[in-house]
């Protein structure tokens, strides 16, 4: 195994610069995954590449991680033992600057069904190149913390829940998380099956001593209840949407909680949008458990983008903007009819464009003045005798008042049996501009053979520019694009049979 000596990221980048890397030479194990790492400001931190060595013990499996900086220089590696039910891990950087390896795929082939358990995450400290199991805590109903070292077997958990429900009439539910400024948060509630109540948000210091408790939905039942969705928090305030329901009647308000005292700093009604729109605006579900990151926090504001609903019909998009200085809420909407119709004449009130195709939201981009870019793709779901299809991408961008400035259509060949040809995107120039990437299977004008092309699209000062790079499989090598450092794209060339697995950075022209 090749040894990689650990150096701090900043120091290493001043000494070395690499544009290519061979993943097969970095470790002796089987390569099981790689992904980009981003810091808490969404800047590219580097990459983590994972390798598996197989079973190590009755409940463990041996892995190795290799950390690459954003120039593809290997800066740290270490072998570790993870849970035997983990097939691979996906990395991310937490607010402490630690790299968390979260199990991304499960492997139950090495355990009996009665021994199945969920693998836990691992924590890498980049300063010391050490790794340990992530520590989890339970907050108990008696007000104490319990450290969780081993994940519970799901059958044992179900049995425990049934016994508690039989004894108390409810299940006590809680979750614990760390606070960036120090200490912990816990949420708790009682789950009666058809409704919940006795909800609290509790803040603790570093020694797990309770500092304050915010209570709501104290006597909630099936018809009358309250919910609280946390939008964002900083060192001063926690910003939340409170929903109060009384049978079919709903009301919403922005609740701002003081982080030092737990008292309400503001409680202001949210209006101007339908109940369904406000109820769902804090998330943007894509189905099948996936969702888009649909908000962005700036120094002076929080901006959210959600679907706009008339009752339960999707009719457009809604923007909610929270002013962090005076806690005012601004809500606006743009709808397929009439707002989109000026640019896409064939669109109907529910976003259908032509021949059974609909606009499927793929990504969204937030600028500091409150303007928003929305990237969609024309998508036709599978029918009884037809494959799912995609065609053109459609980019919609608004002004600071959430009015459509323009709509740009990127014409694309029809693709079957895939849900999208869109790949990924990133901000440019300190978050002022955007670049997004998609692929298209096109016929070469010279050879008349079809091949995959990568389309690189920049939106700088509201102006579009496009670059095209061939990425078709060449000599049995599959080419896969990944996000690169600002101004670059990472391309992976892979051939399993020949154990060829190289990545390289290519500079963008913009």
């Amino acid at each position: 195994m090749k040894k990689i000596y650990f150096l701090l990221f900043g120091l290493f980048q001043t000494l070395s610069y690499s544009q290519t890397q061979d993943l097969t030479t970095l470790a002796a194990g089987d390569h099981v995954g790689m992904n980009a790492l981003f810091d808490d400001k969404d800047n590219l931190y580097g990459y983590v590449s994972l390798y598996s060595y197989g079973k190590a013990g009755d409940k463990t499996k041996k892995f190795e991680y290799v950390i690459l900086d954003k120039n593809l220089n290997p800066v740290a590696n270490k072998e570790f033992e993870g849970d035997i039910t983990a097939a691979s891990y996906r990395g991310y950087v937490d607010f402490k600057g630690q790299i968390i390896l979260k199990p991304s795929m499960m492997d139950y082939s090495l355990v009996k069904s009665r021994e199945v358990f969920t693998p836990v995450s691992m924590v890498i400290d980049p300063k010391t190149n050490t790794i340990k199991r992530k520590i989890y805590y339970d907050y108990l109903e008696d007000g104490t913390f319990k450290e969780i070292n081993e994940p519970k077997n799901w059958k044992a958990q179900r049995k425990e829940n049934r016994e508690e429900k039989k004894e108390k009439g409810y299940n006590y539910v809680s979750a614990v998380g760390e606070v960036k400024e120090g200490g912990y948060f816990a949420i708790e509630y009682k789950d009666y099956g058809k409704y919940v109540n006795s909800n609290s948000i509790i803040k603790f210091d570093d020694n797990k001593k309770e500092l304050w408790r915010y209570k709501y939905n104290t006597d909630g039942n099936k018809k009358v209840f309250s919910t609280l969705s946390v939008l964002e928090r900083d060192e001063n305030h926690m910003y939340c949407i409170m929903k109060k329901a009384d049978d079919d009647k709903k009301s919403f308000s922005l609740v701002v909680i003081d982080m030092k005292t737990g008292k309400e700093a503001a409680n202001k009604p949210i209006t101007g949008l339908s109940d369904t729109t406000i109820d769902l605006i804090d998330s943007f579900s894509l189905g099948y458990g996936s969702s888009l990151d649909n908000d962005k926090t700036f120094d002076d504001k929080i901006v959210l983008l959600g679907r706009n609903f008339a009752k339960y019909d999707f009719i457009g998009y809604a923007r909610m903007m929270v002013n962090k200085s005076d806690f005012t809420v601004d809500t606006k909407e743009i709808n397929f009819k009439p707002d989109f119709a000026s640019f896409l004449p064939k669109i109907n009130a529910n976003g259908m464009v032509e021949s059974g195709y609909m606009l499927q939201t793929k990504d969204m981009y937030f600028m500091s003045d409150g303007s928003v870019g929305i990237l969609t793709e024309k998508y036709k779901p599978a029918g009884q005798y037809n494959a799912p299809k995609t065609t053109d991408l459609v980019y919609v961008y608004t002004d600071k008042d959430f009015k459509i400035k323009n709509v740009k259509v990127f014409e694309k060949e029809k693709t079957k049996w895939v849900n999208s040809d869109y790949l990924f995107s990133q901000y440019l120039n300190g978050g002022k501009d955007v670049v997004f990437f998609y692929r298209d299977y096109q016929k070469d004008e010279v050879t008349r053979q079809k091949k995959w092309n990568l389309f690189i699209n920049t939106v700088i000062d509201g102006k579009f520019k496009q670059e095209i790079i061939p990425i078709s499989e060449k000599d049995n090598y599959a080419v896969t694009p990944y996000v690169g450092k600002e101004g670059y794209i990472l391309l992976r060339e892979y051939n399993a049979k020949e154990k060829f697995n190289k990545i390289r950075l290519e500079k963008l022209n913009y």
Side-chain angles (χ1 to χ4, degrees):
M1 180 187 68
K2 182 177 179 180
K3 296 295 182 181
I4 301 169
Y5 295 97
F6 175 77
L7 290 171
L8 293 178
F9 270 71
L11 174 61
F12 198 101
Q13 290 178 346
T14 65
L15 299 176
S16 179
Y17 185 83
S18 174
Q19 291 289 107
T20 64
Q21 191 58 252
D22 188 348
L23 297 178
T24 61
T25 65
L26 297 180
D30 294 329
H31 188 255
V32 292
M34 184 194 82
N35 72 272
L37 301 169
F38 297 87
D39 63 20
D40 58 357
K41 292 182 172 56
D42 292 327
N43 298 314
L44 184 66
Y45 178 95
Y47 302 87
V48 58
S49 188
L50 270 298
Y51 303 82
S52 174
Y53 292 89
K55 185 176 180 180
D58 290 340
K59 292 187 177 182
T60 60
K61 189 183 293 181
K62 184 180 175 183
F63 294 91
E64 182 173 0
Y65 67 80
V66 178
I67 307 298
L68 308 173
D69 69 12
K70 58 187 176 182
N71 293 318
L72 308 188
N73 296 306
V75 295
N77 75 302
K78 200 174 192 68
E79 295 178 2
F80 67 96
E81 288 193 359
D83 288 319
I84 198 169
T85 50
S88 185
Y89 294 84
R90 185 172 180 82
Y92 68 92
V93 181
D94 71 3
F95 60 78
K96 292 182 176 180
Q98 302 174 133
I99 299 171
I100 311 299
L101 299 182
K102 183 178 180 180
S104 60
M105 292 188 291
M106 306 303 122
D107 176 13
Y108 300 134
S109 64
L110 300 176
V111 293
K112 298 177 181 179
S113 59
R114 66 176 180 273
E115 298 171 343
V116 166
F117 62 90
T118 303
V120 302
S121 297
M122 307 296 293
V123 182
I124 301 170
D125 184 346
K127 296 178 180 178
T128 59
N129 193 31
T130 54
I131 184 168
K132 61 182 180 181
R133 293 171 65 84
K134 185 173 176 61
I135 297 174
Y136 298 87
Y137 293 100
D138 258 350
Y139 181 68
L140 306 181
E141 196 169 4
D142 62 8
T144 60
F145 282 79
K146 178 183 178 183
E147 186 174 317
I148 305 171
N149 293 312
E150 293 292 335
K152 290 182 180 178
N153 180 294
W154 68 275
K155 288 186 177 180
Q157 183 67 65
R158 285 182 61 190
K159 181 181 178 182
E160 184 179 304
N161 289 343
R162 286 197 300 267
E163 290 175 350
E164 182 186 37
K165 183 77 174 290
K166 185 177 180 180
E167 177 187 351
K168 300 177 180 178
Y170 63 85
N171 285 128
Y172 175 78
V173 181
S174 67
V176 178
E178 294 182 79
V179 182
K180 183 176 183 179
E181 294 75 30
Y184 301 85
F185 265 118
I187 61 168
E188 66 171 5
Y189 58 88
K190 295 177 180 178
D191 184 356
Y192 290 85
K194 295 184 177 180
Y195 64 92
V196 303
N197 63 27
S198 304
N199 297 66
S200 295
I201 298 176
I202 316 161
K203 188 180 181 186
F204 304 87
D205 64 16
D206 289 331
N207 297 315
K208 304 181 184 66
K209 178 183 176 182
E210 184 175 323
L211 299 176
W212 53 257
R213 180 181 294 249
Y214 181 85
K215 297 181 178 181
Y216 64 98
N217 193 40
T218 307
D219 300 311
N221 55 55
K222 286 187 287 186
K223 292 188 176 182
V224 182
F225 61 89
S226 299
T227 64
L228 193 72
S229 300
V230 178
L231 302 179
E232 182 62 278
R233 69 167 184 253
D234 54 35
E235 60 181 2
N236 297 313
H237 298 105
M238 180 185 293
Y239 303 85
C240 313
I241 294 179
M242 174 76 80
K243 177 177 76 171
K244 292 186 177 181
D246 186 345
D247 212 354
D248 290 333
K249 297 179 181 179
K250 297 182 180 68
S251 64
F252 300 86
S253 60
L254 175 73
V255 173
V256 183
I257 301 172
D258 189 295
M259 286 285 284
K260 294 181 176 62
T261 65
K263 305 295 184 182
E264 287 188 4
N267 190 327
K268 297 188 176 184
I270 301 173
T271 59
L273 300 171
S274 71
D275 287 352
T276 306
T277 301
I278 302 174
D279 201 8
L280 300 176
I281 203 166
D282 63 320
S283 64
F284 204 105
S285 173
L286 298 177
Y288 304 102
S290 62
S291 62
L292 285 178
D293 185 2
N294 72 319
D295 61 49
K296 190 172 178 65
T297 299
F298 300 91
D299 291 339
D300 61 339
K301 65 174 75 72
I302 304 167
V303 184
L304 297 95
L305 182 74
R307 292 184 175 93
N308 194 35
F309 292 91
K311 290 290 184 180
Y312 299 103
D313 290 331
F314 175 34
I315 61 170
Y317 297 90
R319 186 194 71 178
M320 188 173 89
M321 194 157 62
V322 178
N323 189 312
K324 295 173 73 174
S325 61
D326 59 9
F327 309 131
T328 54
V329 181
D330 176 77
T331 57
K332 287 184 169 60
E333 61 185 24
I334 52 173
N335 293 322
F336 300 125
K337 290 278 193 176
D339 303 301
F340 280 59
S342 300
F343 304 91
L344 302 170
K346 294 182 180 180
I347 198 166
N348 73 6
N350 299 113
M352 304 293 290
V353 280
E354 69 261 336
S355 304
Y357 284 84
M358 65 181 72
L359 291 185
Q360 189 176 64
T361 311
K362 306 311 300 182
D363 217 334
M364 52 190 70
Y365 315 101
F366 301 90
M367 306 305 162
S368 59
D369 64 352
S371 58
V372 179
I374 308 169
L375 182 64
T376 68
E377 187 172 19
K378 295 179 182 178
Y379 171 71
K380 188 173 185 178
Q384 185 175 1
Y385 302 106
N386 299 306
K389 306 176 185 70
T390 63
T391 59
D392 308 336
L393 274 83
V394 179
Y395 189 95
V396 181
Y397 56 108
T398 74
D399 62 16
K400 60 184 179 61
D401 297 315
F402 203 54
K403 294 180 180 179
I404 297 179
K405 290 175 65 176
N406 201 0
V407 174
K408 175 76 171 177
V409 177
F410 296 86
E411 293 185 356
K412 186 171 62 65
E413 294 293 323
K414 184 188 298 182
T415 304
K416 296 182 179 181
W417 296 111
V418 295
N419 290 330
S420 180
D421 282 327
Y422 168 68
L423 298 171
F424 49 81
S425 62
Q426 64 184 138
Y427 289 101
L428 298 173
N429 303 320
K432 295 188 300 181
D433 303 306
V434 169
V435 57
F436 62 91
F437 304 80
Y438 69 87
R439 64 177 191 164
D440 193 13
Y441 197 49
Q442 297 181 318
K443 184 178 290 187
D444 188 279
E445 293 182 359
V446 177
T447 65
R448 311 306 295 171
Q449 292 182 339
K450 280 199 166 186
K451 62 180 181 179
W452 284 106
N453 286 324
L454 173 69
F455 287 73
I456 303 167
N457 311 276
T458 54
V459 189
I460 298 177
D461 294 329
K463 297 179 180 178
F464 289 87
K465 183 180 178 181
Q466 189 176 83
E467 181 183 4
I468 305 172
I469 297 177
I471 57 168
S472 269
E473 182 177 294
K474 183 179 180 181
D475 299 327
N476 295 320
Y477 291 86
V479 181
T480 305
Y482 287 78
V483 65
K485 63 182 180 178
E486 185 170 321
Y488 288 78
I489 185 173
L490 185 147
L491 298 176
R492 177 188 175 199
E493 295 176 318
Y494 177 70
N495 183 304
K497 185 177 181 180
E498 297 184 21
K499 296 185 178 180
F500 186 91
N501 196 358
K502 288 187 177 182
I503 53 177
R504 71 177 191 271
L505 287 171
E506 295 283 354
K507 188 172 177 59
L508 306 179
N509 295 317
Y510 67 92

